[in-house]
Amino acid sequence: NAGVTQTPKFQVLKTGQSMTLQCAQDMNHEYMSWYRQDPGMGLRLIHYSVGAGITDQGEVPNGYNVSRSTTEDFPLRLLSAAPSQTSVYFCASSPRQGTYNEQFFGPGTRLTVL
Amino acid sequence: EDQVTQSPEALRLQEGESSSLNCSYTVSGLRGLFWYRQDPGKGPEFLFTLYSAGEEKEKERLKATLTKKESFLHITAPKPEDSATYLCAVQVGWAAGNKLTFGGGTRVLVKP
């Protein structure tokens, strides 16, 4: 199993550009989520999904969109990038909603918005 | 509002010098407390889950404990390869899935 994969690893955008961060898992996990990590602020939840077709907002959802058309994939879309979205983004997955299993994290995407 | 605070922010140890990291939390209805290790440029790696006060778990030189207000991660006789950032996270309830609230982390540097 590859686990949780994320692409790209690094990305530089200009203010106002759009892009999609890709996340995929091959463990048949129902639950997937996106976090951003900023210095001194820890990881903060952006959006999450409890299954295909079901998504909801986390702590910091503004400026980001998600969709979940398959169990495996959970892309994160930035519609109009802003410098405040400069961060490291992590995707995570876990086996089931409603149980307290650990989340498995991807390697991250480092995004810089100029 | 759920809050998780980790201390210290950074810790420098000599190889073999044991120490403890603290994770204090203020949440309504703790369902689980998680410890993760994060190496530079990588995603967090799961270490432990603790569910109830008094619970302890061990893995090699690491031991995690839980009380009603805080958790400790004890590092016994650390080695340079234990250098990493250690993250604490809590899970509150389960109606909204396995959401985690993280603390800011403790950066640990173990010098040979």
Side-chain angles (χ1 to χ4, degrees):
Chain A
N1 287 349
V4 180
T5 57
Q6 293 183 237
T7 56
K9 287 191 174 181
F10 301 94
Q11 184 70 49
V12 179
L13 293 177
K14 294 182 180 179
T15 296
Q17 288 185 316
S18 63
M19 80 159 295
T20 300
L21 280 62
Q22 300 292 343
C23 174
Q25 52 91 10
D26 61 359
M27 297 173 283
N28 201 32
H29 286 172
E30 292 184 13
Y31 183 77
M32 296 186 74
S33 54
W34 277 101
Y35 293 86
R36 60 178 289 174
Q37 187 173 36
D38 302 292
M41 301 197 71
L43 285 123
R44 291 180 293 169
L45 183 65
I46 304 171
H47 284 287
Y48 66 97
S49 169
V50 299
I54 306 170
T55 64
D56 206 345
Q57 297 181 349
E59 181 185 356
V60 287
N62 292 340
Y64 308 95
N65 277 357
V66 293
S67 60
R68 182 106 179 262
S69 57
T70 68
T71 299
E72 295 78 20
D73 301 298
F74 191 43
L76 178 72
R77 281 183 287 276
L78 282 70
L79 301 177
S80 178
S84 60
Q85 294 178 304
T86 294
S87 188
V88 182
Y89 291 85
F90 291 100
C91 179
S93 74
S94 63
R96 275 197 303 267
Q97 177 197 5
T99 57
Y100 311 113
N101 297 317
E102 67 271 19
Q103 293 194 30
F104 296 83
F105 283 82
T109 294
R110 183 173 294 273
L111 175 68
T112 301
V113 182
L114 303 176
Chain B
E1 184 180 329
D2 301 329
Q3 285 195 329
V4 181
T5 304
Q6 292 188 247
S7 61
E9 289 187 9
L11 191 59
R12 296 165 67 98
L13 301 171
Q14 286 297 127
E15 185 172 1
E17 178 189 1
S18 301
S19 188
S20 295
L21 284 56
N22 178 264
C23 171
S24 63
Y25 58 90
T26 306
V27 300
S28 53
L30 178 72
R31 297 296 182 181
L33 187 140
F34 297 76
W35 282 98
Y36 285 84
R37 169 191 170 124
Q38 186 176 25
D39 293 303
K42 296 191 175 181
E45 178 185 344
F46 171 77
L47 292 173
F48 304 109
T49 310
L50 302 167
Y51 295 112
S52 58
E55 189 174 1
E56 299 182 351
K57 289 193 177 175
E58 288 187 68
K59 180 180 180 179
E60 296 181 356
R61 294 175 294 281
L62 301 176
K63 179 180 177 179
T65 62
L66 181 66
T67 72
K68 289 186 177 181
K69 294 183 179 180
E70 58 192 349
S71 177
F72 292 94
L73 184 66
H74 308 278
I75 310 178
T76 302
K79 297 182 178 182
E81 53 262 44
D82 295 320
S83 298
T85 295
Y86 291 87
L87 303 171
C88 168
V90 297
Q91 187 173 47
V92 180
W94 55 272
N98 297 342
K99 294 196 303 180
L100 295 176
T101 300
F102 281 85
T106 296
R107 296 187 310 278
V108 175
L109 176 63
V110 182
K111 294 194 143 188

Short mmCIF file of all heavy atoms in Angstrom, two decimals, chain A residues 45-91:
data_model
loop_
_atom_site.label_atom_id
_atom_site.label_comp_id
_atom_site.label_asym_id
_atom_site.label_seq_id
_atom_site.Cartn_x
_atom_site.Cartn_y
_atom_site.Cartn_z
N LEU A 45 -7.84 22.17 11.06
CA LEU A 45 -8.68 21.44 10.13
C LEU A 45 -9.37 22.39 9.16
O LEU A 45 -10.00 23.37 9.57
CB LEU A 45 -9.73 20.64 10.92
CG LEU A 45 -10.67 19.76 10.12
CD1 LEU A 45 -9.90 18.63 9.43
CD2 LEU A 45 -11.75 19.18 11.04
N ILE A 46 -9.26 22.10 7.87
CA ILE A 46 -9.88 22.94 6.84
C ILE A 46 -11.26 22.37 6.44
O ILE A 46 -12.28 23.03 6.57
CB ILE A 46 -8.98 23.02 5.59
CG1 ILE A 46 -7.59 23.53 5.97
CG2 ILE A 46 -9.60 23.96 4.55
CD1 ILE A 46 -6.57 23.44 4.82
N HIS A 47 -11.25 21.18 5.90
CA HIS A 47 -12.47 20.47 5.51
C HIS A 47 -12.28 18.99 5.79
O HIS A 47 -11.15 18.52 5.87
CB HIS A 47 -12.76 20.63 4.01
CG HIS A 47 -13.30 21.96 3.60
ND1 HIS A 47 -14.59 22.36 3.87
CD2 HIS A 47 -12.71 22.98 2.93
CE1 HIS A 47 -14.78 23.58 3.38
NE2 HIS A 47 -13.66 23.98 2.80
N TYR A 48 -13.39 18.28 5.93
CA TYR A 48 -13.30 16.85 6.12
C TYR A 48 -14.46 16.16 5.41
O TYR A 48 -15.45 16.80 5.02
CB TYR A 48 -13.26 16.48 7.60
CG TYR A 48 -14.53 16.78 8.37
CD1 TYR A 48 -15.48 15.80 8.59
CD2 TYR A 48 -14.74 18.05 8.91
CE1 TYR A 48 -16.63 16.07 9.31
CE2 TYR A 48 -15.89 18.33 9.62
CZ TYR A 48 -16.83 17.34 9.83
OH TYR A 48 -17.97 17.62 10.53
N SER A 49 -14.31 14.85 5.26
CA SER A 49 -15.33 14.05 4.59
C SER A 49 -15.48 12.73 5.33
O SER A 49 -14.48 12.10 5.69
CB SER A 49 -14.91 13.77 3.14
OG SER A 49 -15.76 12.81 2.55
N VAL A 50 -16.73 12.32 5.54
CA VAL A 50 -16.97 11.06 6.24
C VAL A 50 -17.36 9.95 5.26
O VAL A 50 -17.70 8.85 5.67
CB VAL A 50 -18.04 11.21 7.33
CG1 VAL A 50 -17.58 12.21 8.38
CG2 VAL A 50 -19.37 11.63 6.75
N GLY A 51 -17.29 10.23 3.98
CA GLY A 51 -17.55 9.23 2.96
C GLY A 51 -17.76 9.89 1.62
O GLY A 51 -17.92 11.12 1.53
N ALA A 52 -17.78 9.10 0.57
CA ALA A 52 -17.98 9.64 -0.77
C ALA A 52 -19.29 10.42 -0.84
O ALA A 52 -20.33 9.95 -0.38
CB ALA A 52 -17.98 8.50 -1.79
N GLY A 53 -19.20 11.62 -1.38
CA GLY A 53 -20.37 12.48 -1.52
C GLY A 53 -20.72 13.31 -0.31
O GLY A 53 -21.66 14.12 -0.35
N ILE A 54 -19.97 13.17 0.79
CA ILE A 54 -20.27 13.87 2.04
C ILE A 54 -19.05 14.66 2.50
O ILE A 54 -18.00 14.06 2.76
CB ILE A 54 -20.68 12.89 3.15
CG1 ILE A 54 -21.82 11.99 2.69
CG2 ILE A 54 -21.08 13.65 4.41
CD1 ILE A 54 -22.11 10.85 3.65
N THR A 55 -19.20 15.98 2.58
CA THR A 55 -18.11 16.82 3.07
C THR A 55 -18.66 17.84 4.07
O THR A 55 -19.87 18.12 4.07
CB THR A 55 -17.39 17.57 1.94
OG1 THR A 55 -18.30 18.47 1.31
CG2 THR A 55 -16.85 16.60 0.89
N ASP A 56 -17.79 18.39 4.89
CA ASP A 56 -18.20 19.41 5.84
C ASP A 56 -17.00 20.30 6.16
O ASP A 56 -15.85 19.94 5.88
CB ASP A 56 -18.75 18.79 7.11
CG ASP A 56 -19.74 19.72 7.82
OD1 ASP A 56 -19.76 20.93 7.50
OD2 ASP A 56 -20.45 19.24 8.71
N GLN A 57 -17.32 21.47 6.75
CA GLN A 57 -16.28 22.45 7.06
C GLN A 57 -15.60 22.16 8.37
O GLN A 57 -16.22 21.66 9.32
CB GLN A 57 -16.90 23.85 7.11
CG GLN A 57 -17.48 24.31 5.79
CD GLN A 57 -18.06 25.71 5.89
OE1 GLN A 57 -18.21 26.26 6.99
NE2 GLN A 57 -18.39 26.29 4.76
N GLY A 58 -14.33 22.50 8.43
CA GLY A 58 -13.59 22.43 9.67
C GLY A 58 -13.44 23.80 10.29
O GLY A 58 -14.32 24.65 10.18
N GLU A 59 -12.30 24.02 10.90
CA GLU A 59 -12.04 25.26 11.66
C GLU A 59 -11.75 26.46 10.76
O GLU A 59 -12.13 27.58 11.07
CB GLU A 59 -10.86 25.01 12.60
CG GLU A 59 -10.46 26.17 13.48
CD GLU A 59 -9.20 25.85 14.29
OE1 GLU A 59 -8.70 24.70 14.22
OE2 GLU A 59 -8.69 26.76 14.97
N VAL A 60 -11.06 26.23 9.63
CA VAL A 60 -10.63 27.34 8.77
C VAL A 60 -10.97 27.07 7.31
O VAL A 60 -10.10 26.91 6.46
CB VAL A 60 -9.10 27.60 8.93
CG1 VAL A 60 -8.80 28.25 10.26
CG2 VAL A 60 -8.31 26.30 8.78
N PRO A 61 -12.26 27.04 6.93
CA PRO A 61 -12.65 26.63 5.58
C PRO A 61 -12.64 27.72 4.52
O PRO A 61 -12.67 27.41 3.32
CB PRO A 61 -14.10 26.17 5.80
CG PRO A 61 -14.59 27.06 6.91
CD PRO A 61 -13.40 27.27 7.81
N ASN A 62 -12.58 28.99 4.93
CA ASN A 62 -12.74 30.08 3.97
C ASN A 62 -11.62 30.09 2.93
O ASN A 62 -10.44 30.03 3.27
CB ASN A 62 -12.78 31.42 4.69
CG ASN A 62 -14.05 31.56 5.52
OD1 ASN A 62 -15.02 30.87 5.29
ND2 ASN A 62 -14.01 32.45 6.49
N GLY A 63 -12.02 30.18 1.65
CA GLY A 63 -11.06 30.22 0.56
C GLY A 63 -10.74 28.86 -0.03
O GLY A 63 -9.96 28.78 -0.98
N TYR A 64 -11.34 27.82 0.52
CA TYR A 64 -11.07 26.45 0.08
C TYR A 64 -12.38 25.71 -0.25
O TYR A 64 -13.38 25.89 0.44
CB TYR A 64 -10.35 25.64 1.16
CG TYR A 64 -9.11 26.27 1.72
CD1 TYR A 64 -9.16 27.02 2.89
CD2 TYR A 64 -7.87 26.10 1.11
CE1 TYR A 64 -8.03 27.59 3.43
CE2 TYR A 64 -6.72 26.67 1.65
CZ TYR A 64 -6.82 27.41 2.81
OH TYR A 64 -5.68 27.98 3.33
N ASN A 65 -12.32 24.89 -1.30
CA ASN A 65 -13.45 24.02 -1.63
C ASN A 65 -12.97 22.58 -1.71
O ASN A 65 -11.82 22.32 -2.08
CB ASN A 65 -14.05 24.40 -2.99
CG ASN A 65 -15.03 25.54 -2.88
OD1 ASN A 65 -15.30 26.02 -1.78
ND2 ASN A 65 -15.53 26.00 -4.00
N VAL A 66 -13.87 21.65 -1.39
CA VAL A 66 -13.56 20.23 -1.52
C VAL A 66 -14.75 19.51 -2.13
O VAL A 66 -15.87 20.00 -2.12
CB VAL A 66 -13.23 19.58 -0.16
CG1 VAL A 66 -11.92 20.11 0.42
CG2 VAL A 66 -14.37 19.76 0.83
N SER A 67 -14.47 18.33 -2.63
CA SER A 67 -15.50 17.41 -3.08
C SER A 67 -14.96 16.00 -2.88
O SER A 67 -13.75 15.79 -2.79
CB SER A 67 -15.86 17.65 -4.56
OG SER A 67 -14.71 17.45 -5.37
N ARG A 68 -15.85 15.04 -2.80
CA ARG A 68 -15.41 13.64 -2.60
C ARG A 68 -16.30 12.76 -3.48
O ARG A 68 -17.36 12.30 -3.07
CB ARG A 68 -15.57 13.26 -1.12
CG ARG A 68 -15.08 11.83 -0.82
CD ARG A 68 -13.78 11.83 -0.10
NE ARG A 68 -13.32 10.50 0.22
CZ ARG A 68 -13.51 9.93 1.41
NH1 ARG A 68 -14.16 10.58 2.38
NH2 ARG A 68 -13.05 8.73 1.65
N SER A 69 -15.85 12.53 -4.68
CA SER A 69 -16.63 11.72 -5.62
C SER A 69 -16.30 10.24 -5.50
O SER A 69 -17.11 9.39 -5.91
CB SER A 69 -16.41 12.19 -7.06
OG SER A 69 -15.03 12.15 -7.38
N THR A 70 -15.14 9.91 -4.97
CA THR A 70 -14.76 8.51 -4.77
C THR A 70 -14.24 8.34 -3.35
O THR A 70 -13.87 9.32 -2.69
CB THR A 70 -13.68 8.05 -5.75
OG1 THR A 70 -12.45 8.75 -5.45
CG2 THR A 70 -14.08 8.34 -7.19
N THR A 71 -14.14 7.10 -2.89
CA THR A 71 -13.57 6.83 -1.58
C THR A 71 -12.09 7.19 -1.55
O THR A 71 -11.58 7.64 -0.53
CB THR A 71 -13.73 5.34 -1.22
OG1 THR A 71 -15.13 5.02 -1.17
CG2 THR A 71 -13.11 5.02 0.13
N GLU A 72 -11.39 7.03 -2.67
CA GLU A 72 -9.94 7.17 -2.69
C GLU A 72 -9.44 8.60 -2.72
O GLU A 72 -8.37 8.90 -2.22
CB GLU A 72 -9.36 6.43 -3.91
CG GLU A 72 -9.54 4.93 -3.89
CD GLU A 72 -10.95 4.50 -4.28
OE1 GLU A 72 -11.69 5.31 -4.92
OE2 GLU A 72 -11.34 3.37 -3.92
N ASP A 73 -10.17 9.50 -3.36
CA ASP A 73 -9.65 10.83 -3.65
C ASP A 73 -10.39 11.94 -2.91
O ASP A 73 -11.61 11.92 -2.79
CB ASP A 73 -9.74 11.10 -5.16
CG ASP A 73 -8.96 10.09 -5.97
OD1 ASP A 73 -7.73 10.02 -5.78
OD2 ASP A 73 -9.58 9.36 -6.76
N PHE A 74 -9.61 12.95 -2.49
CA PHE A 74 -10.20 14.08 -1.76
C PHE A 74 -9.39 15.33 -2.12
O PHE A 74 -8.54 15.78 -1.35
CB PHE A 74 -10.15 13.80 -0.26
CG PHE A 74 -10.95 14.77 0.57
CD1 PHE A 74 -12.21 15.20 0.19
CD2 PHE A 74 -10.44 15.24 1.77
CE1 PHE A 74 -12.95 16.07 0.97
CE2 PHE A 74 -11.16 16.12 2.57
CZ PHE A 74 -12.41 16.52 2.17
N PRO A 75 -9.66 15.95 -3.26
CA PRO A 75 -8.90 17.13 -3.68
C PRO A 75 -9.33 18.39 -2.94
O PRO A 75 -10.49 18.55 -2.57
CB PRO A 75 -9.22 17.23 -5.17
CG PRO A 75 -10.56 16.57 -5.31
CD PRO A 75 -10.60 15.48 -4.29
N LEU A 76 -8.36 19.29 -2.75
CA LEU A 76 -8.60 20.58 -2.11
C LEU A 76 -8.37 21.67 -3.14
O LEU A 76 -7.28 21.76 -3.71
CB LEU A 76 -7.65 20.77 -0.92
CG LEU A 76 -7.75 22.10 -0.17
CD1 LEU A 76 -9.05 22.15 0.65
CD2 LEU A 76 -6.55 22.29 0.75
N ARG A 77 -9.35 22.51 -3.35
CA ARG A 77 -9.26 23.56 -4.37
C ARG A 77 -9.14 24.94 -3.74
O ARG A 77 -9.91 25.28 -2.83
CB ARG A 77 -10.48 23.52 -5.28
CG ARG A 77 -10.42 22.43 -6.33
CD ARG A 77 -11.63 22.49 -7.25
NE ARG A 77 -12.83 22.01 -6.57
CZ ARG A 77 -13.16 20.72 -6.47
NH1 ARG A 77 -12.39 19.80 -7.01
NH2 ARG A 77 -14.26 20.37 -5.86
N LEU A 78 -8.16 25.69 -4.24
CA LEU A 78 -8.02 27.09 -3.89
C LEU A 78 -8.55 27.88 -5.08
O LEU A 78 -8.01 27.80 -6.18
CB LEU A 78 -6.56 27.47 -3.62
CG LEU A 78 -5.96 27.06 -2.29
CD1 LEU A 78 -5.77 25.56 -2.19
CD2 LEU A 78 -4.64 27.79 -2.07
N LEU A 79 -9.62 28.63 -4.88
CA LEU A 79 -10.29 29.30 -5.99
C LEU A 79 -9.56 30.57 -6.43
O LEU A 79 -9.45 30.86 -7.61
CB LEU A 79 -11.72 29.64 -5.61
CG LEU A 79 -12.58 28.44 -5.21
CD1 LEU A 79 -13.97 28.89 -4.79
CD2 LEU A 79 -12.65 27.43 -6.34
N SER A 80 -9.05 31.32 -5.46
CA SER A 80 -8.34 32.56 -5.75
C SER A 80 -7.30 32.74 -4.65
O SER A 80 -7.62 33.24 -3.57
CB SER A 80 -9.30 33.75 -5.79
OG SER A 80 -8.59 34.96 -6.02
N ALA A 81 -6.09 32.28 -4.91
CA ALA A 81 -5.07 32.19 -3.86
C ALA A 81 -4.73 33.56 -3.28
O ALA A 81 -4.67 34.57 -3.99
CB ALA A 81 -3.81 31.53 -4.43
N ALA A 82 -4.49 33.57 -1.96
CA ALA A 82 -4.09 34.77 -1.24
C ALA A 82 -2.83 34.48 -0.45
O ALA A 82 -2.60 33.31 -0.06
CB ALA A 82 -5.21 35.21 -0.30
N PRO A 83 -2.00 35.50 -0.17
CA PRO A 83 -0.77 35.25 0.60
C PRO A 83 -1.05 34.58 1.95
O PRO A 83 -0.20 33.82 2.44
CB PRO A 83 -0.20 36.66 0.77
CG PRO A 83 -0.68 37.39 -0.43
CD PRO A 83 -2.06 36.87 -0.70
N SER A 84 -2.22 34.81 2.55
CA SER A 84 -2.55 34.18 3.84
C SER A 84 -2.71 32.66 3.72
O SER A 84 -2.77 31.96 4.74
CB SER A 84 -3.86 34.77 4.39
OG SER A 84 -4.94 34.54 3.49
N GLN A 85 -2.78 32.16 2.50
CA GLN A 85 -2.89 30.72 2.31
C GLN A 85 -1.52 30.05 2.14
O GLN A 85 -1.45 28.84 1.91
CB GLN A 85 -3.79 30.41 1.10
CG GLN A 85 -5.24 30.83 1.35
CD GLN A 85 -6.13 30.58 0.16
OE1 GLN A 85 -5.86 31.06 -0.96
NE2 GLN A 85 -7.22 29.85 0.38
N THR A 86 -0.47 30.82 2.25
CA THR A 86 0.88 30.24 2.29
C THR A 86 0.99 29.37 3.53
O THR A 86 0.78 29.84 4.65
CB THR A 86 1.94 31.35 2.33
OG1 THR A 86 1.91 32.07 1.10
CG2 THR A 86 3.33 30.77 2.55
N SER A 87 1.28 28.09 3.32
CA SER A 87 1.25 27.14 4.43
C SER A 87 1.72 25.78 3.93
O SER A 87 2.02 25.60 2.75
CB SER A 87 -0.18 27.02 4.97
OG SER A 87 -0.21 26.24 6.16
N VAL A 88 1.78 24.84 4.85
CA VAL A 88 2.00 23.43 4.48
C VAL A 88 0.67 22.71 4.69
O VAL A 88 0.07 22.81 5.76
CB VAL A 88 3.10 22.77 5.32
CG1 VAL A 88 3.31 21.33 4.86
CG2 VAL A 88 4.40 23.56 5.21
N TYR A 89 0.23 22.00 3.66
CA TYR A 89 -1.07 21.35 3.69
C TYR A 89 -0.90 19.84 3.81
O TYR A 89 -0.12 19.22 3.08
CB TYR A 89 -1.86 21.69 2.42
CG TYR A 89 -2.26 23.13 2.37
CD1 TYR A 89 -1.38 24.11 1.89
CD2 TYR A 89 -3.51 23.54 2.85
CE1 TYR A 89 -1.74 25.45 1.87
CE2 TYR A 89 -3.88 24.88 2.83
CZ TYR A 89 -2.99 25.82 2.34
OH TYR A 89 -3.34 27.14 2.33
N PHE A 90 -1.63 19.26 4.75
CA PHE A 90 -1.59 17.82 4.96
C PHE A 90 -2.98 17.22 4.78
O PHE A 90 -3.97 17.75 5.26
CB PHE A 90 -1.10 17.48 6.36
CG PHE A 90 0.34 17.78 6.58
CD1 PHE A 90 0.74 18.93 7.24
CD2 PHE A 90 1.33 16.90 6.14
CE1 PHE A 90 2.08 19.22 7.45
CE2 PHE A 90 2.66 17.17 6.33
CZ PHE A 90 3.04 18.33 6.99
N CYS A 91 -3.00 16.12 4.08
CA CYS A 91 -4.21 15.31 3.94
C CYS A 91 -4.08 14.12 4.88
O CYS A 91 -2.97 13.61 5.10
CB CYS A 91 -4.32 14.85 2.49
SG CYS A 91 -5.74 13.81 2.13
#
